[in-house]
Amino acid sequence: MSAVAAKPAALDVARLRADFPVLAQRINGKPLAYLDNGASSQRPHAVIEAERHYASEMHANVHRGVHTLSQRATDAFEAARERVRRFLNARSTREIVFTRGTTESINLVAQSFVRPRARPGDEILITHLEHHANIVPWQMACAATGAMLKVAPIDRRGEVDMEAFRSLLSARTLLVATAHVSNALGTVLPVREIVALAHARGVPVLLDGAQAVPHFALDLQALDCDFYAFSGHKLYGPDGIGVLYGRESLLEAMPPWQGGGDMILAVSFSGPTYNQLPFKFEAGTPHISGAVGLAAAIDYVDGVGLERIAAWEQELLGYATARLGAVDGLTIIGTARDKASLVSFVVEGVHPHDLGTILDQEGIAIRTGHHCAMPAIEFFGVPATARASFAFYNTREEIDRLATAVAAARAMFR
Ligand code: PLP
Protein backbone atom coordinates (compact mmCIF):
# COMPACT_ATOMS: atom_id res chain seq x y z
CA MET A 1 0.00 0.00 0.00
CA SER A 2 1.17 3.50 -0.79
CA ALA A 3 1.96 5.70 2.19
CA VAL A 4 -0.13 8.46 0.57
CA ALA A 5 -3.87 7.86 0.88
CA ALA A 6 -5.46 7.51 -2.56
CA LYS A 7 -7.76 10.40 -3.48
CA PRO A 8 -11.31 9.11 -4.04
CA ALA A 9 -12.39 9.15 -7.69
CA ALA A 10 -14.49 12.19 -8.61
CA LEU A 11 -18.28 11.94 -8.69
CA ASP A 12 -20.19 12.07 -11.96
CA VAL A 13 -22.61 14.62 -10.55
CA ALA A 14 -24.64 15.05 -13.75
CA ARG A 15 -25.30 11.32 -13.93
CA LEU A 16 -26.15 11.10 -10.23
CA ARG A 17 -28.59 14.01 -10.51
CA ALA A 18 -30.60 11.96 -13.00
CA ASP A 19 -31.32 9.51 -10.15
CA PHE A 20 -33.34 12.22 -8.34
CA PRO A 21 -36.64 12.98 -10.12
CA VAL A 22 -37.37 16.08 -8.02
CA LEU A 23 -34.23 17.82 -9.24
CA ALA A 24 -35.39 17.89 -12.87
CA GLN A 25 -38.18 20.35 -12.04
CA ARG A 26 -38.51 24.01 -12.81
CA ILE A 27 -39.68 26.20 -9.95
CA ASN A 28 -41.10 29.60 -10.82
CA GLY A 29 -39.95 29.03 -14.37
CA LYS A 30 -36.29 28.42 -13.36
CA PRO A 31 -34.37 25.16 -12.96
CA LEU A 32 -34.61 24.06 -9.34
CA ALA A 33 -31.43 24.60 -7.31
CA TYR A 34 -32.19 22.61 -4.19
CA LEU A 35 -29.93 23.93 -1.42
CA ASP A 36 -32.00 22.95 1.61
CA ASN A 37 -30.56 19.49 2.16
CA GLY A 38 -29.87 20.12 5.83
CA ALA A 39 -33.62 20.28 6.39
CA SER A 40 -34.44 17.30 4.18
CA SER A 41 -32.60 15.79 1.24
CA GLN A 42 -34.22 14.39 -1.91
CA ARG A 43 -34.87 10.72 -2.66
CA PRO A 44 -33.39 8.78 -5.55
CA HIS A 45 -35.45 6.46 -7.76
CA ALA A 46 -33.98 3.50 -5.89
CA VAL A 47 -35.64 4.61 -2.64
CA ILE A 48 -38.96 5.48 -4.27
CA GLU A 49 -38.92 2.14 -6.06
CA ALA A 50 -38.05 0.17 -2.90
CA GLU A 51 -41.04 1.68 -1.10
CA ARG A 52 -43.31 1.05 -4.10
CA HIS A 53 -42.12 -2.54 -4.40
CA TYR A 54 -42.70 -3.12 -0.71
CA ALA A 55 -46.21 -1.63 -0.84
CA SER A 56 -47.24 -3.44 -3.98
CA GLU A 57 -45.78 -6.87 -3.22
CA MET A 58 -45.01 -7.39 0.43
CA HIS A 59 -47.05 -5.26 2.73
CA ALA A 60 -48.57 -6.84 5.85
CA ASN A 61 -48.01 -6.29 9.55
CA VAL A 62 -44.71 -7.51 10.96
CA HIS A 63 -43.76 -9.97 13.71
CA ARG A 64 -47.33 -11.22 14.14
CA GLY A 65 -48.59 -13.23 11.22
CA VAL A 66 -47.79 -16.74 10.08
CA HIS A 67 -48.96 -16.02 6.53
CA THR A 68 -46.52 -15.48 3.71
CA LEU A 69 -46.95 -11.74 3.30
CA SER A 70 -46.44 -11.10 6.99
CA GLN A 71 -43.27 -13.14 6.88
CA ARG A 72 -42.06 -11.24 3.82
CA ALA A 73 -42.75 -7.93 5.51
CA THR A 74 -41.00 -9.09 8.68
CA ASP A 75 -38.00 -10.28 6.68
CA ALA A 76 -37.78 -6.96 4.82
CA PHE A 77 -38.11 -4.96 8.06
CA GLU A 78 -35.47 -7.01 9.88
CA ALA A 79 -33.18 -6.94 6.84
CA ALA A 80 -33.43 -3.13 6.99
CA ARG A 81 -32.35 -3.24 10.63
CA GLU A 82 -29.34 -5.37 9.71
CA ARG A 83 -28.52 -2.89 6.91
CA VAL A 84 -28.53 -0.03 9.42
CA ARG A 85 -26.35 -2.05 11.80
CA ARG A 86 -23.79 -2.63 9.05
CA PHE A 87 -23.91 1.04 8.00
CA LEU A 88 -23.13 2.17 11.54
CA ASN A 89 -20.86 -0.78 12.32
CA ALA A 90 -22.85 -1.48 15.48
CA ARG A 91 -22.18 -4.78 17.21
CA SER A 92 -25.69 -6.19 17.07
CA THR A 93 -29.16 -5.49 15.65
CA ARG A 94 -30.27 -5.52 19.28
CA GLU A 95 -28.69 -2.06 19.42
CA ILE A 96 -30.71 -0.66 16.49
CA VAL A 97 -34.10 0.79 17.46
CA PHE A 98 -36.34 2.19 14.73
CA THR A 99 -37.97 5.49 15.67
CA ARG A 100 -39.73 8.32 13.83
CA GLY A 101 -36.48 10.27 13.59
CA THR A 102 -33.73 12.00 15.52
CA THR A 103 -36.20 13.88 17.71
CA GLU A 104 -37.96 10.73 18.84
CA SER A 105 -34.65 8.93 19.38
CA ILE A 106 -33.43 11.67 21.73
CA ASN A 107 -36.77 11.77 23.55
CA LEU A 108 -36.54 8.01 24.06
CA VAL A 109 -33.20 8.45 25.84
CA ALA A 110 -34.52 11.39 27.86
CA GLN A 111 -37.56 9.43 29.00
CA SER A 112 -36.07 6.01 29.45
CA PHE A 113 -32.44 6.63 30.40
CA VAL A 114 -32.42 10.00 32.15
CA ARG A 115 -35.77 10.20 33.89
CA PRO A 116 -35.53 6.97 35.87
CA ARG A 117 -31.94 7.74 36.95
CA ALA A 118 -31.83 11.47 37.53
CA ARG A 119 -31.78 12.80 41.08
CA PRO A 120 -32.06 16.48 42.01
CA GLY A 121 -28.71 18.12 41.33
CA ASP A 122 -27.62 15.64 38.64
CA GLU A 123 -26.48 17.25 35.41
CA ILE A 124 -26.96 16.82 31.67
CA LEU A 125 -24.17 18.45 29.69
CA ILE A 126 -24.91 19.82 26.21
CA THR A 127 -23.37 22.63 24.12
CA HIS A 128 -24.56 26.06 23.03
CA LEU A 129 -25.01 25.04 19.39
CA GLU A 130 -27.60 22.29 19.77
CA HIS A 131 -30.77 21.83 17.74
CA HIS A 132 -33.90 22.22 19.89
CA ALA A 133 -34.35 18.43 19.62
CA ASN A 134 -31.19 18.11 21.71
CA ILE A 135 -32.20 20.78 24.22
CA VAL A 136 -35.90 20.53 25.00
CA PRO A 137 -36.10 16.79 25.86
CA TRP A 138 -33.39 17.37 28.50
CA GLN A 139 -35.17 20.48 29.80
CA MET A 140 -38.33 18.41 30.18
CA ALA A 141 -36.45 15.61 31.94
CA CYS A 142 -34.77 18.16 34.22
CA ALA A 143 -38.11 19.78 35.08
CA ALA A 144 -39.48 16.39 36.05
CA THR A 145 -36.50 15.24 38.15
CA GLY A 146 -34.72 18.29 39.54
CA ALA A 147 -31.67 17.60 37.38
CA MET A 148 -29.86 20.59 35.81
CA LEU A 149 -28.90 21.41 32.27
CA LYS A 150 -25.29 22.52 31.81
CA VAL A 151 -24.25 24.22 28.59
CA ALA A 152 -20.70 24.28 27.20
CA PRO A 153 -20.06 27.63 25.49
CA ILE A 154 -19.02 28.22 21.89
CA ASP A 155 -16.68 30.86 20.44
CA ARG A 156 -17.17 33.34 17.58
CA ARG A 157 -16.23 30.71 15.00
CA GLY A 158 -18.98 28.46 16.29
CA GLU A 159 -16.56 25.95 17.83
CA VAL A 160 -17.18 24.41 21.23
CA ASP A 161 -14.86 25.71 23.95
CA MET A 162 -13.34 22.36 24.91
CA GLU A 163 -11.61 23.71 28.03
CA ALA A 164 -14.98 24.86 29.34
CA PHE A 165 -16.54 21.56 28.27
CA ARG A 166 -13.93 19.68 30.25
CA SER A 167 -14.47 21.79 33.34
CA LEU A 168 -18.24 21.37 33.13
CA LEU A 169 -17.95 17.59 33.36
CA SER A 170 -18.53 16.83 37.02
CA ALA A 171 -19.21 14.02 39.43
CA ARG A 172 -22.91 14.84 38.95
CA THR A 173 -22.89 14.54 35.14
CA LEU A 174 -25.40 11.86 34.18
CA LEU A 175 -25.13 12.20 30.42
CA VAL A 176 -23.32 14.23 27.76
CA ALA A 177 -25.49 14.98 24.72
CA THR A 178 -24.01 16.90 21.79
CA ALA A 179 -24.46 17.31 18.08
CA HIS A 180 -22.01 15.53 15.80
CA VAL A 181 -22.51 18.35 13.28
CA SER A 182 -24.32 21.64 13.95
CA ASN A 183 -27.29 22.22 11.64
CA ALA A 184 -27.18 26.01 12.11
CA LEU A 185 -23.43 26.63 11.80
CA GLY A 186 -22.01 23.57 10.07
CA THR A 187 -19.46 22.94 12.84
CA VAL A 188 -18.17 19.37 13.04
CA LEU A 189 -17.71 18.73 16.74
CA PRO A 190 -14.62 16.90 18.08
CA VAL A 191 -16.73 13.91 19.03
CA ARG A 192 -13.85 11.52 19.65
CA GLU A 193 -12.44 13.95 22.22
CA ILE A 194 -15.91 14.49 23.71
CA VAL A 195 -16.43 10.74 24.11
CA ALA A 196 -12.94 10.24 25.56
CA LEU A 197 -13.35 13.06 28.10
CA ALA A 198 -16.79 11.87 29.18
CA HIS A 199 -15.81 8.20 29.38
CA ALA A 200 -12.76 9.09 31.46
CA ARG A 201 -15.30 10.20 34.08
CA GLY A 202 -17.62 7.26 33.47
CA VAL A 203 -20.24 9.43 31.75
CA PRO A 204 -22.18 8.05 28.75
CA VAL A 205 -22.46 10.13 25.57
CA LEU A 206 -25.36 10.65 23.17
CA LEU A 207 -24.52 12.06 19.75
CA ASP A 208 -27.14 13.77 17.60
CA GLY A 209 -26.02 12.59 14.18
CA ALA A 210 -28.85 14.10 12.11
CA GLN A 211 -26.42 16.33 10.15
CA ALA A 212 -23.45 13.96 10.16
CA VAL A 213 -24.80 10.73 8.71
CA PRO A 214 -25.35 12.12 5.17
CA HIS A 215 -21.84 13.53 4.94
CA PHE A 216 -19.27 11.04 6.17
CA ALA A 217 -18.81 7.38 6.98
CA LEU A 218 -19.36 6.26 10.54
CA ASP A 219 -17.93 3.50 12.67
CA LEU A 220 -19.74 3.52 15.98
CA GLN A 221 -17.55 0.82 17.50
CA ALA A 222 -14.51 2.99 16.83
CA LEU A 223 -16.30 6.15 17.95
CA ASP A 224 -17.44 4.33 21.09
CA CYS A 225 -20.38 6.65 21.86
CA ASP A 226 -23.26 5.21 23.87
CA PHE A 227 -26.23 6.52 21.89
CA TYR A 228 -26.42 7.84 18.33
CA ALA A 229 -29.53 9.33 16.72
CA PHE A 230 -30.35 10.11 13.09
CA SER A 231 -33.24 10.58 10.63
CA GLY A 232 -33.93 8.87 7.31
CA HIS A 233 -35.15 11.99 5.51
CA LYS A 234 -31.78 13.73 5.75
CA LEU A 235 -30.06 10.64 4.33
CA TYR A 236 -31.94 10.56 0.99
CA GLY A 237 -34.52 8.26 2.61
CA PRO A 238 -38.15 8.50 3.69
CA ASP A 239 -39.49 10.80 6.39
CA GLY A 240 -41.08 9.41 9.54
CA ILE A 241 -38.29 6.86 10.05
CA GLY A 242 -35.12 7.21 12.07
CA VAL A 243 -32.77 5.29 14.27
CA LEU A 244 -31.57 5.21 17.82
CA TYR A 245 -28.37 3.26 18.24
CA GLY A 246 -27.82 2.36 21.90
CA ARG A 247 -25.09 0.39 23.61
CA GLU A 248 -26.69 -2.94 24.40
CA SER A 249 -25.85 -2.96 28.12
CA LEU A 250 -27.49 0.46 28.54
CA LEU A 251 -30.60 -0.36 26.48
CA GLU A 252 -30.96 -3.62 28.38
CA ALA A 253 -31.12 -1.74 31.69
CA MET A 254 -33.60 0.89 30.45
CA PRO A 255 -37.36 0.48 30.90
CA PRO A 256 -39.65 0.74 27.86
CA TRP A 257 -40.97 4.24 27.29
CA GLN A 258 -44.16 3.49 25.37
CA GLY A 259 -46.53 0.59 25.96
CA GLY A 260 -48.52 -1.36 23.41
CA GLY A 261 -48.13 -4.15 20.88
CA ASP A 262 -44.79 -5.65 19.85
CA MET A 263 -42.94 -4.40 22.93
CA ILE A 264 -44.41 -7.18 25.10
CA LEU A 265 -44.00 -10.95 25.26
CA ALA A 266 -47.10 -11.47 27.36
CA VAL A 267 -49.78 -9.38 29.08
CA SER A 268 -52.09 -10.23 31.92
CA PHE A 269 -54.00 -7.91 34.23
CA SER A 270 -51.31 -8.44 36.82
CA GLY A 271 -48.77 -6.92 34.43
CA PRO A 272 -46.79 -7.23 31.20
CA THR A 273 -43.63 -9.15 30.40
CA TYR A 274 -41.51 -7.01 28.11
CA ASN A 275 -40.05 -8.15 24.83
CA GLN A 276 -36.32 -8.42 24.20
CA LEU A 277 -34.19 -5.76 22.51
CA PRO A 278 -34.75 -3.90 20.32
CA PHE A 279 -38.52 -4.61 20.23
CA LYS A 280 -38.92 -3.43 23.84
CA PHE A 281 -38.61 0.12 22.45
CA GLU A 282 -40.84 -0.31 19.39
CA ALA A 283 -44.43 -0.20 20.64
CA GLY A 284 -47.13 -0.46 17.99
CA THR A 285 -46.91 -1.07 14.27
CA PRO A 286 -43.62 0.42 13.06
CA HIS A 287 -43.01 2.38 9.85
CA ILE A 288 -42.23 -0.77 7.86
CA SER A 289 -42.08 0.79 4.40
CA GLY A 290 -39.99 3.62 5.86
CA ALA A 291 -37.43 1.14 7.18
CA VAL A 292 -37.31 -0.59 3.78
CA GLY A 293 -36.83 2.80 2.10
CA LEU A 294 -34.13 3.75 4.58
CA ALA A 295 -32.22 0.53 3.80
CA ALA A 296 -32.47 1.38 0.08
CA ALA A 297 -31.16 4.89 0.80
CA ILE A 298 -28.19 3.43 2.68
CA ASP A 299 -27.49 1.06 -0.23
CA TYR A 300 -27.63 4.03 -2.58
CA VAL A 301 -25.34 6.23 -0.50
CA ASP A 302 -22.85 3.39 0.00
CA GLY A 303 -22.97 2.78 -3.74
CA VAL A 304 -22.01 6.39 -4.43
CA GLY A 305 -19.41 6.16 -1.67
CA LEU A 306 -19.33 8.35 1.43
CA GLU A 307 -15.66 9.16 0.91
CA ARG A 308 -16.37 10.52 -2.55
CA ILE A 309 -19.45 12.33 -1.23
CA ALA A 310 -17.37 13.96 1.51
CA ALA A 311 -14.66 15.01 -0.96
CA TRP A 312 -17.12 16.65 -3.39
CA GLU A 313 -19.12 18.32 -0.64
CA GLN A 314 -15.93 19.82 0.81
CA GLU A 315 -15.19 21.27 -2.61
CA LEU A 316 -18.68 22.73 -2.76
CA LEU A 317 -18.25 24.15 0.74
CA GLY A 318 -14.97 25.83 -0.19
CA TYR A 319 -16.44 27.21 -3.40
CA ALA A 320 -19.60 28.52 -1.70
CA THR A 321 -17.60 30.07 1.13
CA ALA A 322 -15.47 31.96 -1.41
CA ARG A 323 -18.35 32.98 -3.70
CA LEU A 324 -20.70 34.08 -0.92
CA GLY A 325 -17.87 35.62 1.08
CA ALA A 326 -17.19 37.93 -1.87
CA VAL A 327 -20.76 39.32 -1.89
CA ASP A 328 -20.85 42.88 -0.57
CA GLY A 329 -22.50 43.13 2.86
CA LEU A 330 -22.62 39.36 3.43
CA THR A 331 -21.35 37.83 6.69
CA ILE A 332 -20.93 34.11 7.13
CA ILE A 333 -22.17 32.87 10.50
CA GLY A 334 -20.19 29.84 11.60
CA THR A 335 -16.58 29.67 10.47
CA ALA A 336 -15.36 26.59 12.32
CA ARG A 337 -12.16 25.03 11.01
CA ASP A 338 -13.94 21.71 10.54
CA LYS A 339 -17.28 22.22 8.80
CA ALA A 340 -19.83 20.12 6.97
CA SER A 341 -21.22 21.39 3.68
CA LEU A 342 -23.50 24.20 4.77
CA VAL A 343 -23.16 27.96 4.89
CA SER A 344 -25.26 30.16 7.19
CA PHE A 345 -25.13 33.86 6.42
CA VAL A 346 -26.73 37.26 6.87
CA VAL A 347 -26.82 40.10 4.35
CA GLU A 348 -26.79 43.70 5.54
CA GLY A 349 -30.13 45.38 4.91
CA VAL A 350 -31.92 42.22 3.72
CA HIS A 351 -34.01 40.20 6.16
CA PRO A 352 -33.30 36.47 5.70
CA HIS A 353 -37.00 35.76 5.10
CA ASP A 354 -37.13 38.35 2.29
CA LEU A 355 -33.96 36.83 0.88
CA GLY A 356 -35.50 33.35 0.96
CA THR A 357 -38.55 34.60 -0.93
CA ILE A 358 -36.46 36.42 -3.54
CA LEU A 359 -34.29 33.35 -4.10
CA ASP A 360 -37.38 31.18 -4.45
CA GLN A 361 -38.45 33.36 -7.38
CA GLU A 362 -35.14 32.30 -8.97
CA GLY A 363 -35.86 28.62 -8.34
CA ILE A 364 -33.30 28.49 -5.51
CA ALA A 365 -34.43 26.71 -2.32
CA ILE A 366 -32.62 27.68 0.87
CA ARG A 367 -33.72 27.78 4.51
CA THR A 368 -34.17 30.95 6.53
CA GLY A 369 -34.88 31.46 10.22
CA HIS A 370 -33.38 30.20 13.47
CA HIS A 371 -33.04 26.62 12.16
CA CYS A 372 -34.48 25.26 15.43
CA ALA A 373 -31.26 26.34 17.13
CA MET A 374 -32.32 29.65 18.67
CA PRO A 375 -29.57 29.84 21.33
CA ALA A 376 -26.85 29.33 18.68
CA ILE A 377 -28.28 31.96 16.34
CA GLU A 378 -28.89 34.45 19.16
CA PHE A 379 -25.26 33.99 20.27
CA PHE A 380 -24.22 35.70 17.03
CA GLY A 381 -26.56 38.63 17.74
CA VAL A 382 -28.86 38.00 14.79
CA PRO A 383 -32.54 36.99 14.82
CA ALA A 384 -32.20 34.64 11.87
CA THR A 385 -29.85 33.53 9.11
CA ALA A 386 -30.13 32.26 5.56
CA ARG A 387 -28.68 28.78 5.17
CA ALA A 388 -27.58 26.99 2.02
CA SER A 389 -26.88 23.32 2.70
CA PHE A 390 -25.33 21.16 0.01
CA ALA A 391 -25.68 17.53 -0.99
CA PHE A 392 -23.42 15.57 -3.35
CA TYR A 393 -25.86 16.27 -6.21
CA ASN A 394 -25.29 20.03 -6.01
CA THR A 395 -23.06 21.85 -8.47
CA ARG A 396 -20.80 24.88 -8.71
CA GLU A 397 -23.28 26.38 -11.19
CA GLU A 398 -26.00 26.27 -8.55
CA ILE A 399 -23.70 28.07 -6.14
CA ASP A 400 -22.95 30.68 -8.83
CA ARG A 401 -26.70 31.24 -9.24
CA LEU A 402 -27.07 31.54 -5.46
CA ALA A 403 -24.27 34.10 -5.14
CA THR A 404 -25.56 36.13 -8.09
CA ALA A 405 -29.11 36.17 -6.73
CA VAL A 406 -27.95 37.14 -3.22
CA ALA A 407 -25.87 40.00 -4.65
CA ALA A 408 -28.90 41.17 -6.68
CA ALA A 409 -31.09 41.09 -3.54
CA ARG A 410 -28.49 43.15 -1.66
CA ALA A 411 -28.45 45.71 -4.50
CA MET A 412 -32.27 45.84 -4.44
CA PHE A 413 -32.36 46.77 -0.71
CA ARG A 414 -29.50 49.29 -0.72
N1 PLP B 1 -30.81 17.48 15.28
C1 PLP B 1 -30.27 18.17 14.26
C2 PLP B 1 -28.83 18.59 14.34
C3 PLP B 1 -31.05 18.50 13.16
O1 PLP B 1 -30.51 19.20 12.16
C4 PLP B 1 -32.39 18.09 13.13
C5 PLP B 1 -33.27 18.49 12.01
O2 PLP B 1 -33.06 19.50 11.37
C6 PLP B 1 -32.90 17.37 14.19
C7 PLP B 1 -32.08 17.07 15.26
C8 PLP B 1 -34.31 16.89 14.22
O3 PLP B 1 -34.50 15.92 13.22
P1 PLP B 1 -35.95 15.34 12.93
O4 PLP B 1 -36.85 16.52 12.73
O5 PLP B 1 -35.77 14.52 11.70
O6 PLP B 1 -36.35 14.53 14.11
Side-chain angles (χ1 to χ4, degrees), residues 72-361:
R72 274 189 203 157
T74 302
D75 288 349
F77 186 62
E78 292 308 320
R81 197 189 305 278
E82 165 57 21
R83 188 65 189 89
V84 171
R85 183 206 66 73
R86 195 147 53 84
F87 181 62
L88 299 175
N89 192 28
R91 280 182 189 82
S92 156
T93 50
R94 292 165 61 81
E95 301 183 314
I96 307 297
V97 179
F98 282 122
T99 64
R100 285 194 298 127
T102 309
T103 303
E104 189 172 84
S105 297
I106 297 174
N107 275 277
L108 191 166
V109 177
Q111 293 296 322
S112 179
F113 181 79
V114 169
R115 275 188 74 158
R117 281 176 177 72
R119 300 286 165 264
D122 282 347
E123 297 166 358
I124 313 290
L125 177 55
I126 63 170
T127 80
H128 202 114
L129 53 62
E130 304 304 325
H131 187 282
H132 298 163
N134 199 30
I135 302 174
V136 181
W138 313 123
Q139 288 175 324
M140 292 164 70
C142 287
T145 60
M148 291 185 307
L149 195 62
K150 295 282 172 178
V151 183
I154 54 175
D155 63 19
R156 299 303 297 175
R157 289 173 186 264
E159 292 180 359
V160 177
D161 177 340
M162 289 305 294
E163 266 319 301
F165 176 87
R166 189 194 304 261
S167 66
L168 282 165
L169 272 170
S170 81
R172 300 303 304 266
T173 311
L174 195 60
L175 181 74
V176 165
T178 79
H180 191 165
V181 172
S182 154
N183 69 307
L185 309 172
T187 313
V188 179
L189 280 78
V191 287
R192 279 175 183 272
E193 187 183 351
I194 286 172
V195 171
L197 287 171
H199 282 185
R201 303 198 65 135
V203 178
V205 177
L206 175 142
L207 295 176
D208 168 356
Q211 297 293 337
V213 160
H215 300 300
F216 35 79
L218 278 176
D219 178 344
L220 292 192
Q221 289 188 53
L223 189 52
D224 201 31
C225 62
D226 301 276
F227 299 103
Y228 198 94
F230 72 92
S231 304
H233 68 98
K234 296 183 198 286
L235 185 62
Y236 312 100
D239 41 39
I241 185 80
V243 170
L244 173 70
Y245 157 83
R247 189 185 293 284
E248 186 170 344
S249 56
L250 294 181
L251 290 180
E252 200 64 80
M254 287 158 56
W257 75 310
Q258 290 177 340
D262 240 26
M263 49 73 73
I264 50 85
L265 285 177
V267 176
S268 74
F269 288 118
S270 59
T273 309
Y274 299 131
N275 205 342
Q276 60 191 3
L277 289 176
F279 312 112
K280 184 172 82 170
F281 294 110
E282 293 179 357
T285 300
H287 187 2
I288 311 164
S289 61
V292 169
L294 174 59
I298 292 173
D299 281 342
Y300 181 86
V301 165
D302 269 354
V304 177
L306 272 160
E307 267 194 36
R308 297 198 301 159
I309 289 175
W312 176 239
E313 289 180 349
Q314 283 299 310
E315 269 194 59
L316 290 177
L317 174 66
Y319 189 68
T321 304
R323 287 289 271 122
L324 289 170
V327 173
D328 177 49
L330 186 148
T331 305
I332 292 176
I333 305 290
T335 52
R337 284 161 290 188
D338 194 3
K339 268 184 79 169
S341 57
L342 71 84
V343 182
S344 249
F345 57 94
V346 289
V347 182
E348 221 179 295
V350 191
H351 192 281
H353 290 318
D354 293 332
L355 185 61
T357 308
I358 293 167
L359 294 184
D360 184 52
Q361 290 308 307

